[in-house]
Amino acid sequence: YRLWCRDAWREFDVFRVPVEALLLNVDNRRFTAERKLVEDSIGHTLDPEANPADEQVVISILLDEDPQKLLDGGTPKATADTLSLEADWRARSQETPFWVRPDGTVRNGNRRLAVIKRLQSRVGEEGNEWVDAVILDPADIDERELFKMEQREQLTENFKVRYTDINLLLALRDAAIQEDVDWADPQDLDRVAGMLQRVAGGDKAYAIIQLQAIRYMDAYLKDLNADGQYHKLFRRVERFRDVGKNMARLQEEFPDEAADLLRL
């Protein structure tokens, strides 16, 4: 199976692996904020490998409209995308192989794995015992390179389910940190925006807006003594894009008052 890796196409062997050997990736950037919100609610870090109940929670985060219903003892409603994915799996089975680490952690294909596990619980394992997978050894592809591969695969316009606003920004934040960004330096933000513009619709100016939004999200949470608690910013991301746009202008026009204007 061909994958773009280290600026070249490479062919990887595809293995037939048992579903029971695969682990959902709890650190999946696609649902970072939702995971933090759930962990705050249940009072512990999700560990689907050790705790079957936690695995069901992760499956619900991936597939359902409101995972909180599961925590409250109810039955969550699957999203329209989940129903489409399940119907497609039943009709065509697997189109592309999962990306898997040697320990079984799935790095690309978590929603499909969640659908399979849910189908197993409903209709049994017959027909859902095995999947195709490319096994990416850390000795060959380290986390930095795998992260770049995930960006290309998951943050482009063509993937089936878009990141939510906040999780897209968090993924961009991780990518910027990988590039050693200096958040306080406009020239360095411009440099990093150029490197990441492919994941912002090919628009460098829009990439800068996203990076500025991330900068001020972090500043706001630090001011609240809530570093890293991005789930507190659900449905408020657009405000931080506006803050970033305005602060870029105000820092040029009123540099001495910029700190006071930011607090305002």
Side-chain angles (χ1 to χ4, degrees):
Y1 186 74
R2 293 181 69 202
L3 291 174
W4 185 261
C5 176
R6 296 196 185 93
D7 300 319
W9 286 109
R10 287 182 54 186
E11 290 192 351
F12 291 84
D13 291 333
V14 178
F15 297 89
R16 196 77 168 148
V17 300
V19 169
E20 65 179 0
L22 299 180
L23 303 172
L24 291 164
N25 180 18
V26 74
D27 295 319
N28 190 333
R29 292 179 178 86
R30 196 183 290 276
F31 58 79
T32 299
E34 289 88 344
R35 188 195 81 224
K36 292 290 188 183
L37 185 63
V38 166
E39 288 176 343
D40 267 13
S41 176
I42 62 180
H44 69 264
T45 300
L46 289 170
D47 185 357
E49 182 178 6
N51 188 340
D54 282 358
E55 181 179 65
Q56 293 305 310
V57 174
V58 174
I59 289 172
S60 187
I61 292 173
L62 284 163
L63 302 183
D64 297 330
E65 292 181 357
D66 183 7
Q68 185 63 42
K69 287 187 177 180
L70 179 67
L71 302 178
D72 295 338
T75 302
K77 181 181 179 181
T79 66
D81 289 316
T82 293
L83 295 176
S84 296
L85 180 59
E86 181 178 327
D88 184 69
W89 184 270
R90 286 176 177 271
R92 300 192 304 137
S93 189
Q94 188 171 4
E95 179 180 5
T96 59
F98 291 18
W99 301 1
V100 179
R101 282 304 201 188
D103 67 354
T105 301
V106 174
R107 297 299 295 264
N108 186 29
N110 278 274
R111 291 184 67 250
R112 287 178 290 162
L113 179 59
V115 163
I116 295 169
K117 286 179 175 288
R118 182 165 284 181
L119 283 172
Q120 286 180 336
S121 67
R122 290 176 180 170
V123 302
E125 294 189 353
E126 185 174 356
N128 294 306
E129 304 99 321
W130 299 83
V131 293
D132 293 338
V134 169
I135 299 175
L136 303 178
D137 192 328
D140 178 32
I141 298 175
D142 61 17
E143 281 299 304
R144 183 181 179 88
E145 182 60 31
L146 180 55
F147 181 52
K148 290 180 180 180
M149 293 168 66
E150 288 175 334
Q151 288 177 59
R152 284 187 289 269
E153 182 74 11
Q154 298 180 353
L155 293 180
T156 60
E157 291 297 327
N158 295 325
F159 60 71
K160 295 179 181 178
V161 178
R162 294 293 298 165
Y163 278 61
T164 59
D165 265 1
I166 193 164
N167 289 320
L168 174 59
L169 287 180
L170 294 181
L172 286 170
R173 180 181 184 275
D174 286 348
I177 291 172
Q178 290 272 4
E179 302 299 339
D180 298 319
V181 64
D182 182 348
W183 295 103
D185 183 348
Q187 290 185 338
D188 202 52
L189 285 180
D190 184 79
R191 172 186 70 85
V192 174
M195 301 178 73
L196 300 182
Q197 62 182 318
R198 67 181 182 276
V199 299
D203 187 332
K204 182 178 178 181
Y206 188 64
I208 291 176
I209 291 172
Q210 308 313 304
L211 293 175
Q212 289 282 19
I214 295 163
R215 174 185 177 184
Y216 292 112
M217 285 165 56
D218 282 340
Y220 178 70
L221 290 173
K222 183 176 181 179
D223 192 59
L224 289 180
N225 293 317
D227 286 354
Q229 298 183 40
Y230 297 101
H231 56 281
K232 294 182 180 293
L233 307 182
F234 270 130
R235 302 181 184 88
R236 300 166 67 185
V237 167
E238 193 58 40
R239 300 183 186 186
F240 292 94
R241 293 194 181 102
D242 288 339
V243 170
K245 293 174 188 175
N246 282 291
M247 287 305 301
R249 176 174 58 83
L250 295 172
Q251 283 176 325
E252 290 185 4
E253 297 181 11
F254 309 102
D256 294 336
E257 291 83 16
D260 290 336
L261 290 168
L262 175 60
R263 177 162 295 281
L264 177 63

